[in-house]
Amino acid sequence: MTSRSPFVRIPEVVAQLEEMGRAARPRAERAVAMVRARWQFRAVQSLGRNVAAYGPVSVHNDGEIRLGDRLTFSGGMLPSSLVCHPGGRLVIGNETQFNYGVCLEAWRSVSVGARCMFASFVRVGDRDGLHTAPITIEDDVWVAHGAIIMPGVRVGARSVVAAGSIVTQDVPPDTLAMGNPARNMSLELVARDTGS
């Protein structure tokens, strides 16, 4: 009697294993990013759950930094940085996302709401050499590439700061701020149907 091994289709098995690997990869990358975040943010007073750093983040904390849950810091060409000077307070809400090269600097107070998005090379600082004033960025704000938010500014909920804009005055909720210095335009005007 000869023993016969069951017929196995090797290419199908290999394809299934590759598919399982592709499915598991994002979870593995997220797990590594969460471990990296625990190490990089070890100097902050409060670190939320499931914070992930996919690349380097520079943290210099001589004040108080509080980070919310499920934050994401993307990796890229340049590291992002969080700087809090003595007596300063930097607070970031839940589910906020940062692309690479973002710099947040607090001498007095910088507060970022929940579910905000920051594109690459955004600068937010509450001191410009002449004066220091707190900055508040409310919930659901999108700050586009290269924008700068100056001291004393409040950016209202659901607003958008256009790429390259320099914001020197308050931005009301549901507003598009664009230009240098930034001018405000209602998002209702931007989204209105033209009828064509």
Side-chain angles (χ1 to χ4, degrees):
M1 246 203 252
T2 61
S3 66
R4 298 186 96 199
S5 61
F7 180 67
V8 178
R9 295 183 180 171
I10 300 296
E12 289 178 11
V13 172
V14 169
Q16 288 176 346
L17 289 174
E18 287 175 351
E19 181 60 32
M20 288 171 44
R22 279 192 292 277
R25 185 177 182 123
R27 287 185 178 173
E29 288 174 350
R30 180 79 181 179
V32 169
M34 289 169 55
V35 170
R36 181 184 294 121
R38 288 283 173 202
W39 175 254
Q40 290 180 340
F41 298 123
R42 65 191 180 278
V44 305
Q45 281 74 15
S46 175
L47 179 62
R49 296 183 329 250
N50 299 326
V51 175
Y54 288 90
V57 179
S58 170
V59 178
H60 179 79
N61 185 16
D62 289 328
E64 179 183 1
I65 298 178
R66 299 202 172 274
L67 304 178
D69 296 336
R70 296 175 302 284
L71 302 181
T72 302
F73 292 84
S74 297
M77 295 184 295
L78 295 174
S80 290
S81 65
L82 303 178
V83 179
C84 193
H85 296 280
R89 180 177 167 90
L90 175 60
V91 178
I92 301 173
N94 296 338
E95 299 178 18
T96 295
Q97 300 175 4
F98 297 90
N99 207 336
Y100 62 87
V102 173
C103 178
L104 291 133
E105 184 173 15
W107 289 85
R108 182 187 290 172
S109 174
V110 173
S111 175
V112 176
R115 299 172 307 280
C116 293
M117 296 184 298
F118 289 80
S120 55
F121 303 116
V122 168
R123 299 287 177 256
V124 178
D126 64 355
R127 184 182 217 177
D128 66 359
L130 300 175
H131 69 288
T132 303
I135 294 176
T136 301
I137 300 172
E138 295 178 358
D139 295 345
D140 303 303
V141 171
W142 176 26
V143 184
H145 175 85
I148 299 172
I149 299 179
M150 300 296 284
V153 169
R154 177 181 210 90
V155 180
R158 301 168 307 281
S159 292
V160 176
V161 177
S165 297
I166 298 179
V167 182
T168 58
Q169 60 187 358
D170 288 354
V171 177
D174 302 305
T175 301
L176 170 65
M178 58 184 170
N180 177 10
R183 303 281 192 264
N184 298 326
M185 176 187 290
S186 172
L187 282 176
E188 181 180 309
L189 294 174
V190 175
R192 185 177 293 162
D193 186 12
T194 60
S196 53

